[in-house]
Amino acid sequence: MSCEKGDGDPMEDPLFILESGEVYRNPTEVKMSQIVMPCHANHCGELSVGQLLKWMDSTACLSAERHAGSPCITASVDDIHFEHTIGVGQVVNIKAKVNRAFTSSMEVGITVSCEDLFSSCQWNVCNAFATFVARRTEEGKVQLKQVIPRTQTEQMEYSIAAERRRMRLTHAEIITDLLSSNTAQLGECQEYQGAVSAERTRVESVELVLPPHANHQVSTFGGQIMAWMENVATIAACRLCNAHPTLRTIDMFHFRGPSHIGDRLVLKAIVNNAFKHSMEVGVCAEAYQGAGALRHINSAFMTFEVLDKDRKPRTLPRIRPEPVDGKRRYQEAIARKKIRLDRKYIISCKQTEVPLSVPWDISNQMYLSYNNVSALKIMAARSNWMLSSEKNKVSLYTLEENQILCFKVETHVTVPAEQAFHLLSDLRRRHEWDRHYQQCDVIIQADEDDTIYRVATPCVSKGGKGQDFILLASRRKPCDSRDPYLIALRSVTLPTHPATEDYTRGEVLCAGFSIWEESNAVSKCIHLIL
């Protein structure tokens, strides 16, 4: 882990000076700083991830409640990847702020960094996005006020929050479909000599929910439930490797229902599969009161590693699954690992680190679509565009960043925004108004919002070859009146459509249209090209 003095100062001044000269601080931002004491740590002297999750949940909840003005509960948490561990004596700094509010739910962005007080080093530990729901009041359902982004960073997060929400709403259904299709192709489980029985790793523990475990609404803290789940998952991982494991990732999960004081919370964990350097542990939390039936509260999948003395991942023993359910979990873990790697590869990378053309298939469609739209939104939200020329009410802007030149063309048209959206999103009609589009064919109609086209363009020099492109077009209608219509384009690769001798295969990293409704008959169209 590299450490640069003063780099990424976690206690940086949260005040911004806006272009108007106004001093601004995000009204929803909440900070928490905690020094890690031995009571917060495991036997290796590292901060328990369960304790960190409790602090993260508390900070995010306070931010959500500051915006909502009413009690809030944790609904879901997106994937969390822990980059580093935190030692006793170091300081954990947590910042949370509301990125965007919808009808009764809101996305809260959480940043966790670590600070060494003796060396003045700071480093990032993890970033997370949690969804909180405002609870009903005596007057009825809460209608949240809108977040007003004031800085470029806030505008980016506000815009992309709508895309993250879209992915959350379809995540469970898509994952189920992908698991069904992927596990069917895996065949029988492999047999390994000396493999550890999965049943040996099974853990079951019960917790009585007491007042200290509850929030001011008498509901069990979401962070407390996550901490208990992390505890049993760690025990299951220890039973496989006979060593202390390090939690690396927690997959996106949703709270299925509330838990309250007096509940008995039953926590179950088992190692689903072990790979060369990592293992997946499945965890389930259920609640009951008295002789009542079990209520499903939450399920999660956690990935652990075991580090050697040089902090490198050790090779792990293999798992021998039990018949039926054990084999199903074993195979689903393989499929989830592929999905997890696709998601991390496409979503977690910075835009400049993603290759020009990423192979498209059904398993990564959701993440490529997310990346496609998010890249366009990030580019559109840049505030440092320079006006290069203006003619016939058409403005051309340029932006050079990291040796990449971007273009933005802005104009007003006397066409309703929705009509302009439908005309521009059908690339098959683009040759009618764009002479650079010679031919366009639909290759795959993935769904209502995503289409893959092959586009051919004419030769620009005499005797040369034309270019062709394999483009993913992702369409988005506005989430509310503060959003534009969007058409995002980027190159992908398909094994069924390799490059040919007749055309030079071109690449598009990011391009598309942002269409704003100015009135019932006038739209502002912005064409962006990276």
Side-chain angles (χ1 to χ4, degrees):
M1 176 181 63
S2 62
C3 173
E4 296 183 17
K5 199 169 184 176
D7 179 41
D9 186 355
M11 299 307 291
E12 61 184 342
D13 189 349
L15 300 179
F16 292 89
I17 307 298
L18 302 177
E19 291 182 1
S20 62
E22 177 188 354
V23 177
Y24 166 74
R25 176 176 178 171
N26 189 305
T28 70
E29 185 174 280
V30 173
K31 290 186 174 186
M32 177 187 286
S33 291
Q34 297 278 359
I35 189 163
V36 179
M37 305 297 290
C39 61
H40 302 138
N42 56 33
H43 60 279
C44 294
E46 298 171 348
L47 173 64
S48 160
V49 173
Q51 180 62 60
L52 177 59
L53 291 169
K54 286 198 283 187
W55 286 340
M56 290 169 65
D57 184 62
S58 297
T59 310
C61 185
L62 292 173
S63 175
E65 292 185 344
R66 175 177 284 185
H67 179 74
S70 64
C72 296
I73 56 174
T74 314
S76 68
V77 180
D78 291 2
D79 299 352
I80 306 176
H81 176 70
F82 299 97
E83 298 177 26
H84 302 290
T85 56
I86 304 169
V88 170
Q90 294 176 332
V91 174
V92 179
N93 294 296
I94 304 171
K95 288 196 296 186
K97 62 183 179 67
V98 177
N99 291 330
R100 183 162 183 165
F102 303 95
T103 305
S104 59
S105 68
M106 67 205 96
E107 178 190 277
V108 179
I110 310 165
T111 302
V112 181
S113 58
C114 183
E115 178 183 4
D116 189 302
L117 296 174
F118 301 100
S119 64
S120 298
C121 290
Q122 302 96 22
W123 55 90
N124 189 61
V125 175
C126 67
N127 297 297
F129 298 100
T131 300
F132 284 81
V133 176
R135 299 195 69 171
R136 291 174 181 268
T137 62
E138 293 179 358
E139 292 76 24
K141 193 172 184 179
V142 174
Q143 177 69 46
L144 293 174
K145 61 186 177 183
Q146 288 293 317
V147 170
I148 309 298
R150 302 289 298 277
T151 68
Q152 177 179 308
T153 301
E154 288 179 5
Q155 181 58 51
M156 285 183 189
E157 293 294 355
Y158 177 90
S159 184
I160 298 172
E163 191 63 18
R164 281 192 289 261
R165 179 175 184 259
R166 180 180 183 274
M167 188 165 67
R168 284 181 206 113
L169 294 175
T170 60
H171 179 264
E173 181 182 344
I174 290 174
I175 291 295
T176 300
D177 291 343
L178 293 179
L179 289 176
S180 299
S181 60
N182 286 352
T183 53
Q185 302 170 14
L186 295 175
E188 291 298 316
C189 301
Q190 286 185 267
E191 295 288 340
Y192 291 97
Q193 189 174 1
V196 177
S197 169
E199 285 301 307
R200 181 171 179 264
T201 71
R202 187 182 292 277
V203 180
E204 182 172 327
S205 180
V206 66
E207 298 281 355
L208 174 62
V209 180
L210 299 172
H213 304 138
N215 55 27
H216 49 289
Q217 306 159 51
V218 203
S219 296
T220 315
F221 267 121
Q224 179 63 70
I225 296 173
M226 289 187 279
W228 282 333
M229 293 173 73
E230 183 270 339
N231 177 62
V232 294
T234 300
I235 295 171
C238 282
R239 287 181 176 174
L240 173 70
C241 58
N242 297 323
H244 178 71
T246 298
L247 179 58
R248 281 302 181 209
T249 63
I250 304 176
D251 287 2
M252 180 189 297
F253 60 85
H254 299 261
F255 284 94
R256 309 293 180 89
S259 169
H260 305 286
I261 291 175
D263 275 350
R264 280 68 170 171
L265 215 63
V266 180
L267 303 130
K268 302 173 183 177
I270 190 169
V271 176
N272 292 329
N273 204 335
F275 307 99
K276 185 175 182 181
H277 293 135
S278 66
M279 70 184 93
E280 180 194 274
V281 180
V283 199
C284 174
E286 298 173 315
Y288 70 94
Q289 286 207 0
L294 285 171
R295 310 187 314 271
H296 187 189
I297 303 298
N298 197 0
S299 293
F301 298 100
M302 304 184 183
T303 303
F304 289 84
E305 293 176 345
V306 177
L307 305 179
D308 62 20
K309 61 181 181 180
D310 298 319
R311 309 297 293 176
K312 302 293 184 185
R314 277 175 36 185
T315 301
L316 299 176
R318 292 293 188 168
I319 274 285
R320 184 177 69 254
E322 299 305 305
V324 192
D325 280 350
K327 290 188 175 182
R328 174 185 56 79
R329 288 194 299 267
Y330 180 96
Q331 292 178 323
E332 287 181 352
I334 297 172
R336 266 191 300 271
K337 182 184 180 186
K338 180 184 184 306
I339 294 167
R340 200 176 291 127
L341 291 173
D342 284 344
R343 186 165 59 220
K344 182 180 177 184
Y345 175 64
I346 295 168
I347 292 180
S348 302
C349 290
K350 295 178 181 178
Q351 190 59 36
T352 52
E353 296 174 351
V354 178
L356 287 178
S357 283
V358 176
W360 182 94
D361 64 46
I362 195 67
S363 68
N364 68 8
Q365 175 194 337
M366 177 172 64
Y367 312 118
L368 267 178
S369 181
Y370 168 87
N371 176 272
N372 194 16
V373 174
S374 298
L376 187 69
K377 288 186 172 185
I378 290 171
M379 185 160 56
R382 300 287 190 198
S383 60
N384 49 342
W385 289 96
M386 300 291 293
L387 180 63
S388 296
S389 66
E390 194 168 15
K391 186 177 181 181
N392 298 330
K393 297 183 179 180
V394 177
S395 303
L396 173 64
Y397 297 83
T398 57
L399 171 63
E400 188 171 358
E401 199 170 77
N402 299 322
Q403 298 182 329
I404 297 176
L405 186 61
C406 309
F407 297 92
K408 179 172 78 170
V409 180
E410 187 175 304
T411 187
H412 287 78
V413 295
T414 53
V415 177
E418 187 171 6
Q419 185 180 349
F421 170 69
H422 288 298
L423 289 171
L424 293 174
S425 61
D426 187 355
L427 299 192
R428 291 171 299 181
R429 298 190 60 182
R430 187 158 170 174
H431 69 276
E432 296 174 12
W433 55 272
D434 186 347
R435 61 187 177 85
H436 296 292
Y437 270 54
Q438 186 179 58
Q439 182 183 350
C440 182
D441 302 308
V442 173
I443 300 174
I444 298 173
Q445 184 70 54
D447 57 30
E448 184 182 350
D449 296 320
D450 291 320
T451 308
I452 298 179
Y453 296 91
R454 177 186 174 273
V455 175
T457 63
C459 175
V460 294
S461 60
K462 190 175 181 180
K465 293 193 294 186
Q467 277 192 308
D468 71 342
F469 302 82
I470 306 299
L471 297 179
L472 169 65
S474 302
R475 309 168 356 131
R476 297 290 187 272
K477 291 183 178 180
C479 183
D480 58 41
S481 60
R482 297 175 60 85
D483 283 326
Y485 290 87
L486 278 173
I487 304 150
L489 305 170
R490 67 154 299 147
S491 288
V492 294
T493 59
L494 291 172
T496 55
H497 288 74
T500 63
E501 294 182 357
D502 299 330
Y503 290 90
T504 301
R505 179 56 54 89
E507 306 283 357
V508 174
L509 179 58
C510 177
F513 295 92
S514 179
I515 305 163
W516 295 86
E517 185 175 43
E518 298 277 294
S519 69
N520 290 336
V522 178
S523 308
K524 180 172 74 172
C525 291
I526 302 173
H527 188 194
L528 297 134
I529 305 171
L530 175 59

